[in-house]
Amino acid sequence: LDGETEGSFTLEIKETEGDTTIAEATFAAIPSTADTQVIMDFPDGTIEHAEPLIIDYDGNGETDLSLEPKIGEVVTTEQLDTIPPTTTLSFSGTQGANDWYTSDGIVTFTATDNENGSGIDKTEYSFDNGTTWNLYTDLFTISTEGETILQYRSTDKANNQEETKTENIKIDKTAPEAKISFNKETQKLDISGTDNLSDTSVTILEKQELISTSKKTKKIKDWFPHWYKKHKKNLPDSLAIITDQAGHTTSLSFEKTKDRDGFIFVRLLSIGYDGEETTLKDTETQYQWKIDKQENYRFFASSLKAGETRLESRYFSKKDETRIMEKPKYLKEDNDEENDSEDNDKRPSKTKLPGMVIPYLESEKGEIGIKY
């Protein structure tokens, strides 16, 4: 049908067999202009299986109205679809903690229109706060770590557009890394976690806690029962567990060779990411110090080893400088710092740094490095 002027039209349809009317339907008071184009298809020649009356009101090639015929009833524009569709988002990935996912995930949109509605025309999504809208044609994958803001909406064939919805998808596929250092305020070994996406927390279990077979201890992490069974006959002196907000864990087991006032000597035995453990060899840290009554450091030294790499540092309080020694050695537990400082003042150093600098061990993808 072609429109001829501004106004409205009525379309009556009858399906007959001989002189008998089998079915009839009416569309009444349908608005039109001189540009209006109307199409209706009858695939099998019956009203029952007829396609909707498709109305392009302004003749621009897009559907403005879609009206389903109703046998024995009159359809008017008052019965038009005015309700926007509803879209739901499904994200399938490995669920972590605190609404984080620990893997790539697949996004699927499902759009539904209201009963007797005009049907879904399109679903769109945006990654840039609605500046660019992408037409959804099939499921897609999000693999970027961090927080991804995804907006989406659907439009039905009556041009009812859903209010934009927003989903914050958080992905963290990487366990945290560890830093092992001397805390000059507490004179204790500090273990901390670093994560590129979220904060971390540290739990330290001493040997007596590891010996315990309580359910509370074994349920710290899913991998812990397997780890405990593996190490039960030869438990380390302590186990540090670093956890990020997504639920990833990095575990460090230690042997405390010496741990007393003024001297710490600790060996790092293993590192594990989400339960996948790697045994470490020749990874250890020594710290030696003495402070005066005003809690100023009169003497401080460190000797750290990670595989083939060793580093020794010496702090000279009178000059307020730290020297990284050229030929690093183990520290002697019974050092007299005054004689030792005099002796070490004559030793060659490859670097001189202002103030008291404390070297430390840091992990990176299963490897342990020395930094300062």
Side-chain angles (χ1 to χ4, degrees), residues 87-91 95 99 101 107-109 125-127 129 133 140 142 146-153 164-170:
T87 310
T88 56
L89 181 152
S90 171
F91 188 80
Q95 185 75 54
D99 298 322
Y101 289 89
V107 175
T108 305
F109 292 117
Y125 61 94
S126 174
F127 289 111
N129 199 32
W133 287 98
F140 58 90
I142 295 180
E147 298 188 36
T148 298
I149 305 299
L150 179 60
Q151 293 183 311
Y152 57 99
R153 67 190 183 191
T164 298
K165 294 179 177 178
T166 301
E167 187 79 17
N168 184 13
I169 296 172
K170 303 189 293 185

mmCIF file of all heavy atoms in Angstrom, residues 87-91 95 99 101 107-109 125-127 129 133 140 142 146-153 164-170:
data_model
loop_
_atom_site.group_PDB
_atom_site.id
_atom_site.type_symbol
_atom_site.label_atom_id
_atom_site.label_comp_id
_atom_site.label_asym_id
_atom_site.label_seq_id
_atom_site.Cartn_x
_atom_site.Cartn_y
_atom_site.Cartn_z
ATOM 1 N N THR A 87 16.838 -6.685 28.463
ATOM 2 C CA THR A 87 18.051 -7.422 28.107
ATOM 3 C C THR A 87 18.736 -7.921 29.366
ATOM 4 O O THR A 87 18.876 -7.187 30.347
ATOM 5 C CB THR A 87 19.029 -6.522 27.325
ATOM 6 O OG1 THR A 87 18.353 -5.887 26.254
ATOM 7 C CG2 THR A 87 20.188 -7.328 26.771
ATOM 8 N N THR A 88 19.174 -9.173 29.332
ATOM 9 C CA THR A 88 19.962 -9.729 30.438
ATOM 10 C C THR A 88 21.348 -10.094 29.923
ATOM 11 O O THR A 88 21.510 -10.513 28.779
ATOM 12 C CB THR A 88 19.297 -10.978 31.040
ATOM 13 O OG1 THR A 88 19.091 -11.949 30.008
ATOM 14 C CG2 THR A 88 17.962 -10.630 31.665
ATOM 15 N N LEU A 89 22.331 -9.906 30.785
ATOM 16 C CA LEU A 89 23.723 -10.208 30.446
ATOM 17 C C LEU A 89 24.169 -11.439 31.204
ATOM 18 O O LEU A 89 23.941 -11.558 32.405
ATOM 19 C CB LEU A 89 24.620 -9.016 30.779
ATOM 20 C CG LEU A 89 26.118 -9.113 30.476
ATOM 21 C CD1 LEU A 89 26.694 -7.720 30.219
ATOM 22 C CD2 LEU A 89 26.897 -9.773 31.617
ATOM 23 N N SER A 90 24.833 -12.344 30.493
ATOM 24 C CA SER A 90 25.417 -13.524 31.133
ATOM 25 C C SER A 90 26.919 -13.501 30.883
ATOM 26 O O SER A 90 27.363 -13.313 29.744
ATOM 27 C CB SER A 90 24.799 -14.801 30.552
ATOM 28 O OG SER A 90 25.486 -15.940 31.015
ATOM 29 N N PHE A 91 27.706 -13.652 31.972
ATOM 30 C CA PHE A 91 29.172 -13.675 31.842
ATOM 31 C C PHE A 91 29.669 -14.997 32.398
ATOM 32 O O PHE A 91 29.518 -15.282 33.591
ATOM 33 C CB PHE A 91 29.805 -12.508 32.605
ATOM 34 C CG PHE A 91 31.283 -12.368 32.364
ATOM 35 C CD1 PHE A 91 31.757 -11.760 31.219
ATOM 36 C CD2 PHE A 91 32.198 -12.850 33.283
ATOM 37 C CE1 PHE A 91 33.118 -11.632 30.986
ATOM 38 C CE2 PHE A 91 33.556 -12.730 33.073
ATOM 39 C CZ PHE A 91 34.018 -12.110 31.919
ATOM 40 N N GLN A 95 34.753 -17.968 38.592
ATOM 41 C CA GLN A 95 34.393 -17.019 39.641
ATOM 42 C C GLN A 95 35.449 -17.024 40.738
ATOM 43 O O GLN A 95 35.804 -18.074 41.268
ATOM 44 C CB GLN A 95 33.032 -17.384 40.231
ATOM 45 C CG GLN A 95 32.512 -16.372 41.243
ATOM 46 C CD GLN A 95 32.008 -15.104 40.578
ATOM 47 O OE1 GLN A 95 31.167 -15.141 39.699
ATOM 48 N NE2 GLN A 95 32.542 -13.972 41.010
ATOM 49 N N ASP A 99 33.411 -10.629 43.728
ATOM 50 C CA ASP A 99 32.901 -10.290 42.395
ATOM 51 C C ASP A 99 33.994 -10.215 41.327
ATOM 52 O O ASP A 99 33.784 -9.624 40.267
ATOM 53 C CB ASP A 99 32.120 -8.964 42.420
ATOM 54 C CG ASP A 99 30.892 -9.036 43.315
ATOM 55 O OD1 ASP A 99 30.244 -10.093 43.334
ATOM 56 O OD2 ASP A 99 30.585 -8.045 44.003
ATOM 57 N N TYR A 101 36.560 -12.209 38.620
ATOM 58 C CA TYR A 101 36.736 -13.450 37.859
ATOM 59 C C TYR A 101 38.232 -13.682 37.696
ATOM 60 O O TYR A 101 39.013 -12.735 37.549
ATOM 61 C CB TYR A 101 36.065 -13.358 36.487
ATOM 62 C CG TYR A 101 34.554 -13.377 36.557
ATOM 63 C CD1 TYR A 101 33.843 -12.197 36.697
ATOM 64 C CD2 TYR A 101 33.847 -14.576 36.493
ATOM 65 C CE1 TYR A 101 32.456 -12.199 36.778
ATOM 66 C CE2 TYR A 101 32.461 -14.593 36.564
ATOM 67 C CZ TYR A 101 31.769 -13.403 36.711
ATOM 68 O OH TYR A 101 30.406 -13.410 36.790
ATOM 69 N N VAL A 107 30.723 -13.148 27.100
ATOM 70 C CA VAL A 107 29.533 -12.327 27.298
ATOM 71 C C VAL A 107 28.435 -12.780 26.347
ATOM 72 O O VAL A 107 28.649 -12.931 25.148
ATOM 73 C CB VAL A 107 29.845 -10.836 27.051
ATOM 74 C CG1 VAL A 107 28.560 -10.009 27.145
ATOM 75 C CG2 VAL A 107 30.873 -10.332 28.056
ATOM 76 N N THR A 108 27.253 -13.012 26.897
ATOM 77 C CA THR A 108 26.081 -13.359 26.101
ATOM 78 C C THR A 108 24.928 -12.457 26.514
ATOM 79 O O THR A 108 24.660 -12.298 27.705
ATOM 80 C CB THR A 108 25.667 -14.834 26.315
ATOM 81 O OG1 THR A 108 26.780 -15.682 26.042
ATOM 82 C CG2 THR A 108 24.514 -15.207 25.406
ATOM 83 N N PHE A 109 24.273 -11.846 25.528
ATOM 84 C CA PHE A 109 23.091 -11.030 25.793
ATOM 85 C C PHE A 109 21.846 -11.793 25.363
ATOM 86 O O PHE A 109 21.820 -12.441 24.314
ATOM 87 C CB PHE A 109 23.145 -9.708 25.018
ATOM 88 C CG PHE A 109 24.217 -8.768 25.478
ATOM 89 C CD1 PHE A 109 25.243 -8.389 24.627
ATOM 90 C CD2 PHE A 109 24.207 -8.244 26.768
ATOM 91 C CE1 PHE A 109 26.223 -7.522 25.042
ATOM 92 C CE2 PHE A 109 25.192 -7.383 27.195
ATOM 93 C CZ PHE A 109 26.206 -7.018 26.322
ATOM 94 N N TYR A 125 25.989 -2.745 22.495
ATOM 95 C CA TYR A 125 26.822 -2.641 23.694
ATOM 96 C C TYR A 125 27.940 -1.641 23.454
ATOM 97 O O TYR A 125 28.338 -1.358 22.316
ATOM 98 C CB TYR A 125 27.382 -4.001 24.099
ATOM 99 C CG TYR A 125 28.265 -4.661 23.069
ATOM 100 C CD1 TYR A 125 29.656 -4.505 23.113
ATOM 101 C CD2 TYR A 125 27.725 -5.437 22.047
ATOM 102 C CE1 TYR A 125 30.472 -5.103 22.176
ATOM 103 C CE2 TYR A 125 28.530 -6.033 21.107
ATOM 104 C CZ TYR A 125 29.900 -5.872 21.169
ATOM 105 O OH TYR A 125 30.713 -6.460 20.231
ATOM 106 N N SER A 126 28.456 -1.094 24.559
ATOM 107 C CA SER A 126 29.479 -0.052 24.472
ATOM 108 C C SER A 126 30.531 -0.253 25.554
ATOM 109 O O SER A 126 30.201 -0.619 26.689
ATOM 110 C CB SER A 126 28.845 1.332 24.621
ATOM 111 O OG SER A 126 29.835 2.348 24.684
ATOM 112 N N PHE A 127 31.800 0.002 25.190
ATOM 113 C CA PHE A 127 32.909 -0.054 26.144
ATOM 114 C C PHE A 127 33.405 1.340 26.514
ATOM 115 O O PHE A 127 34.341 1.456 27.317
ATOM 116 C CB PHE A 127 34.082 -0.855 25.560
ATOM 117 C CG PHE A 127 33.817 -2.332 25.452
ATOM 118 C CD1 PHE A 127 33.683 -2.936 24.210
ATOM 119 C CD2 PHE A 127 33.699 -3.119 26.587
ATOM 120 C CE1 PHE A 127 33.457 -4.298 24.102
ATOM 121 C CE2 PHE A 127 33.468 -4.485 26.492
ATOM 122 C CZ PHE A 127 33.344 -5.073 25.248
ATOM 123 N N ASN A 129 31.486 4.214 27.556
ATOM 124 C CA ASN A 129 30.462 5.045 28.198
ATOM 125 C C ASN A 129 29.442 5.588 27.199
ATOM 126 O O ASN A 129 28.945 6.708 27.336
ATOM 127 C CB ASN A 129 31.115 6.188 28.975
ATOM 128 C CG ASN A 129 30.195 6.796 30.014
ATOM 129 O OD1 ASN A 129 29.353 6.103 30.588
ATOM 130 N ND2 ASN A 129 30.327 8.090 30.250
ATOM 131 N N TRP A 133 28.582 2.634 20.005
ATOM 132 C CA TRP A 133 27.712 1.486 20.238
ATOM 133 C C TRP A 133 28.000 0.413 19.182
ATOM 134 O O TRP A 133 28.053 0.706 17.994
ATOM 135 C CB TRP A 133 26.241 1.888 20.198
ATOM 136 C CG TRP A 133 25.830 2.651 21.412
ATOM 137 C CD1 TRP A 133 25.724 4.000 21.539
ATOM 138 C CD2 TRP A 133 25.477 2.096 22.689
ATOM 139 N NE1 TRP A 133 25.337 4.342 22.810
ATOM 140 C CE2 TRP A 133 25.169 3.193 23.547
ATOM 141 C CE3 TRP A 133 25.378 0.807 23.192
ATOM 142 C CZ2 TRP A 133 24.784 3.014 24.873
ATOM 143 C CZ3 TRP A 133 25.002 0.632 24.517
ATOM 144 C CH2 TRP A 133 24.711 1.720 25.341
ATOM 145 N N PHE A 140 30.828 -12.844 22.754
ATOM 146 C CA PHE A 140 32.215 -12.403 22.605
ATOM 147 C C PHE A 140 32.951 -12.563 23.928
ATOM 148 O O PHE A 140 32.337 -12.736 24.983
ATOM 149 C CB PHE A 140 32.289 -10.949 22.103
ATOM 150 C CG PHE A 140 31.594 -9.945 22.983
ATOM 151 C CD1 PHE A 140 32.255 -9.307 24.019
ATOM 152 C CD2 PHE A 140 30.251 -9.624 22.766
ATOM 153 C CE1 PHE A 140 31.616 -8.378 24.818
ATOM 154 C CE2 PHE A 140 29.596 -8.692 23.567
ATOM 155 C CZ PHE A 140 30.282 -8.067 24.592
ATOM 156 N N ILE A 142 35.794 -11.329 26.866
ATOM 157 C CA ILE A 142 36.546 -10.256 27.522
ATOM 158 C C ILE A 142 37.723 -10.905 28.243
ATOM 159 O O ILE A 142 37.532 -11.790 29.072
ATOM 160 C CB ILE A 142 35.675 -9.466 28.505
ATOM 161 C CG1 ILE A 142 34.563 -8.728 27.754
ATOM 162 C CG2 ILE A 142 36.515 -8.469 29.300
ATOM 163 C CD1 ILE A 142 33.640 -7.927 28.646
ATOM 164 N N GLY A 146 41.594 -6.318 34.999
ATOM 165 C CA GLY A 146 41.142 -5.062 35.571
ATOM 166 C C GLY A 146 39.632 -4.962 35.505
ATOM 167 O O GLY A 146 38.929 -5.967 35.359
ATOM 168 N N GLU A 147 39.116 -3.749 35.602
ATOM 169 C CA GLU A 147 37.684 -3.521 35.588
ATOM 170 C C GLU A 147 37.255 -3.008 34.208
ATOM 171 O O GLU A 147 37.773 -2.006 33.732
ATOM 172 C CB GLU A 147 37.294 -2.522 36.678
ATOM 173 C CG GLU A 147 37.625 -3.023 38.084
ATOM 174 C CD GLU A 147 37.082 -2.127 39.172
ATOM 175 O OE1 GLU A 147 35.976 -1.587 38.979
ATOM 176 O OE2 GLU A 147 37.742 -1.968 40.213
ATOM 177 N N THR A 148 36.311 -3.707 33.604
ATOM 178 C CA THR A 148 35.759 -3.325 32.304
ATOM 179 C C THR A 148 34.314 -2.877 32.495
ATOM 180 O O THR A 148 33.482 -3.656 32.968
ATOM 181 C CB THR A 148 35.806 -4.499 31.304
ATOM 182 O OG1 THR A 148 37.171 -4.867 31.083
ATOM 183 C CG2 THR A 148 35.172 -4.113 29.972
ATOM 184 N N ILE A 149 34.020 -1.617 32.134
ATOM 185 C CA ILE A 149 32.660 -1.099 32.236
ATOM 186 C C ILE A 149 31.948 -1.389 30.915
ATOM 187 O O ILE A 149 32.330 -0.882 29.862
ATOM 188 C CB ILE A 149 32.650 0.415 32.513
ATOM 189 C CG1 ILE A 149 33.479 0.725 33.772
ATOM 190 C CG2 ILE A 149 31.222 0.912 32.688
ATOM 191 C CD1 ILE A 149 32.977 0.073 35.025
ATOM 192 N N LEU A 150 30.920 -2.220 30.975
ATOM 193 C CA LEU A 150 30.173 -2.629 29.787
ATOM 194 C C LEU A 150 28.737 -2.123 29.886
ATOM 195 O O LEU A 150 28.024 -2.445 30.832
ATOM 196 C CB LEU A 150 30.192 -4.164 29.670
ATOM 197 C CG LEU A 150 29.438 -4.784 28.498
ATOM 198 C CD1 LEU A 150 29.988 -4.291 27.165
ATOM 199 C CD2 LEU A 150 29.510 -6.309 28.562
ATOM 200 N N GLN A 151 28.328 -1.319 28.898
ATOM 201 C CA GLN A 151 26.955 -0.829 28.832
ATOM 202 C C GLN A 151 26.218 -1.547 27.699
ATOM 203 O O GLN A 151 26.820 -1.900 26.682
ATOM 204 C CB GLN A 151 26.933 0.687 28.599
ATOM 205 C CG GLN A 151 27.478 1.486 29.773
ATOM 206 C CD GLN A 151 27.378 2.981 29.547
ATOM 207 O OE1 GLN A 151 27.774 3.493 28.515
ATOM 208 N NE2 GLN A 151 26.828 3.693 30.524
ATOM 209 N N TYR A 152 24.897 -1.729 27.871
ATOM 210 C CA TYR A 152 24.138 -2.453 26.846
ATOM 211 C C TYR A 152 22.673 -2.039 26.882
ATOM 212 O O TYR A 152 22.168 -1.534 27.888
ATOM 213 C CB TYR A 152 24.284 -3.961 27.028
ATOM 214 C CG TYR A 152 23.864 -4.494 28.389
ATOM 215 C CD1 TYR A 152 22.608 -5.072 28.575
ATOM 216 C CD2 TYR A 152 24.717 -4.414 29.485
ATOM 217 C CE1 TYR A 152 22.216 -5.564 29.815
ATOM 218 C CE2 TYR A 152 24.331 -4.895 30.727
ATOM 219 C CZ TYR A 152 23.089 -5.468 30.883
ATOM 220 O OH TYR A 152 22.697 -5.955 32.109
ATOM 221 N N ARG A 153 21.996 -2.276 25.761
ATOM 222 C CA ARG A 153 20.578 -1.928 25.638
ATOM 223 C C ARG A 153 20.013 -2.639 24.417
ATOM 224 O O ARG A 153 20.754 -3.068 23.527
ATOM 225 C CB ARG A 153 20.410 -0.411 25.478
ATOM 226 C CG ARG A 153 20.961 0.116 24.153
ATOM 227 C CD ARG A 153 21.012 1.614 24.089
ATOM 228 N NE ARG A 153 21.476 2.076 22.772
ATOM 229 C CZ ARG A 153 21.818 3.331 22.494
ATOM 230 N NH1 ARG A 153 21.755 4.265 23.438
ATOM 231 N NH2 ARG A 153 22.229 3.661 21.282
ATOM 232 N N THR A 164 19.589 2.257 29.217
ATOM 233 C CA THR A 164 20.932 1.677 29.210
ATOM 234 C C THR A 164 21.263 1.036 30.560
ATOM 235 O O THR A 164 21.066 1.628 31.616
ATOM 236 C CB THR A 164 21.977 2.749 28.876
ATOM 237 O OG1 THR A 164 21.715 3.268 27.567
ATOM 238 C CG2 THR A 164 23.384 2.173 28.896
ATOM 239 N N LYS A 165 21.788 -0.180 30.485
ATOM 240 C CA LYS A 165 22.234 -0.890 31.677
ATOM 241 C C LYS A 165 23.763 -0.915 31.703
ATOM 242 O O LYS A 165 24.416 -0.843 30.660
ATOM 243 C CB LYS A 165 21.689 -2.322 31.692
ATOM 244 C CG LYS A 165 20.177 -2.403 31.818
ATOM 245 C CD LYS A 165 19.724 -3.857 31.790
ATOM 246 C CE LYS A 165 18.220 -3.975 31.976
ATOM 247 N NZ LYS A 165 17.754 -5.382 31.895
ATOM 248 N N THR A 166 24.319 -1.032 32.913
ATOM 249 C CA THR A 166 25.779 -1.019 33.075
ATOM 250 C C THR A 166 26.228 -2.195 33.928
ATOM 251 O O THR A 166 25.617 -2.492 34.958
ATOM 252 C CB THR A 166 26.244 0.294 33.740
ATOM 253 O OG1 THR A 166 25.829 1.406 32.933
ATOM 254 C CG2 THR A 166 27.764 0.326 33.865
ATOM 255 N N GLU A 167 27.266 -2.855 33.475
ATOM 256 C CA GLU A 167 27.852 -3.970 34.215
ATOM 257 C C GLU A 167 29.348 -3.731 34.370
ATOM 258 O O GLU A 167 30.038 -3.381 33.401
ATOM 259 C CB GLU A 167 27.613 -5.289 33.478
ATOM 260 C CG GLU A 167 28.036 -6.517 34.239
ATOM 261 C CD GLU A 167 27.041 -6.928 35.307
ATOM 262 O OE1 GLU A 167 25.883 -6.471 35.253
ATOM 263 O OE2 GLU A 167 27.421 -7.722 36.195
ATOM 264 N N ASN A 168 29.863 -3.897 35.599
ATOM 265 C CA ASN A 168 31.293 -3.767 35.859
ATOM 266 C C ASN A 168 31.889 -5.170 35.959
ATOM 267 O O ASN A 168 31.631 -5.891 36.921
ATOM 268 C CB ASN A 168 31.529 -2.991 37.159
ATOM 269 C CG ASN A 168 33.000 -2.748 37.417
ATOM 270 O OD1 ASN A 168 33.837 -2.944 36.537
ATOM 271 N ND2 ASN A 168 33.342 -2.329 38.622
ATOM 272 N N ILE A 169 32.659 -5.549 34.949
ATOM 273 C CA ILE A 169 33.246 -6.892 34.895
ATOM 274 C C ILE A 169 34.704 -6.800 35.348
ATOM 275 O O ILE A 169 35.515 -6.089 34.752
ATOM 276 C CB ILE A 169 33.143 -7.477 33.483
ATOM 277 C CG1 ILE A 169 31.663 -7.663 33.121
ATOM 278 C CG2 ILE A 169 33.881 -8.810 33.395
ATOM 279 C CD1 ILE A 169 31.426 -8.057 31.689
ATOM 280 N N LYS A 170 35.044 -7.526 36.433
ATOM 281 C CA LYS A 170 36.378 -7.458 37.020
ATOM 282 C C LYS A 170 37.111 -8.786 36.798
ATOM 283 O O LYS A 170 36.614 -9.845 37.198
ATOM 284 C CB LYS A 170 36.285 -7.137 38.513
ATOM 285 C CG LYS A 170 35.543 -5.836 38.807
ATOM 286 C CD LYS A 170 35.656 -5.427 40.262
ATOM 287 C CE LYS A 170 34.935 -6.376 41.184
ATOM 288 N NZ LYS A 170 34.957 -5.910 42.589
#
